[in-house]
């Protein structure tokens, strides 16, 4: 470290929760399930201390989980990263398979949105003309 660099202070579990949007409970779960790539350091009193690298990794994990990556795949990905160089092809395979799943979900949602937009248009048109009565009326 040069004299112009400031040392990076470790972060508490509360600070990491705030920065990642994960709850303290979720952070403990991530640690317990082996989703972190390094050990969480602790103070002499046993309090967790996280590095900026931990936060960056957790932010990636959050996006992978939010996009539907199965827990087992995320655990495998973290395990591969922990192992270090030499398994990049397997990491790529996991990420690419997940990207394909997300692409398929996006396509399905776009198709759903198209149907919804069409139906909104039908109702809006009929209401604007004052002819909404009888639209999908099960009593008619």
């Amino acid at each position: 470290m040069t004299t112009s660099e400031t040392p990076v202070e470790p972060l508490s579990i509360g600070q990491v929760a705030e920065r990642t949007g994960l709850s303290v409970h979720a952070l403990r779960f991530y640690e317990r399930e082996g989703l972190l790539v390094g050990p969480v350091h602790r103070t002499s009193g046993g309090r967790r201390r996280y590095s900026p690298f931990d936060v960056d990794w957790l932010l990636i994990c959050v996006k992978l989980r939010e996009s539907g990556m199965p827990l087992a795949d995320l655990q495998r990905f973290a395990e591969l990263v922990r192992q270090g160089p030499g398994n990049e092809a397997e990491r790529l395979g996991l990420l690419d398979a997940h990207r394909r799943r997300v692409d398929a979900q996006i396509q399905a949602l776009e198709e759903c949105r198209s149907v919804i937009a069409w139906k909104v248009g039908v109702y809006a048109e009929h209401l604007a003309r004052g002819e909404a009565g009888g639209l999908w009326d099960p009593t008619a």
Side-chain angles (χ1 to χ4, degrees), residues 2-17:
T2 65
T3 55
S4 63
E5 293 177 357
T6 56
V8 178
E9 291 292 319
L11 303 166
S12 71
I13 195 168
Q15 290 170 311
V16 173

Side-chain angles (χ1 to χ4, degrees), residues 104-117:
Q105 291 171 332
I106 289 169
Q107 181 178 346
L109 285 171
E110 286 174 345
E111 291 169 6
C112 292
R113 183 178 57 195
S114 177
V115 169
I116 293 166

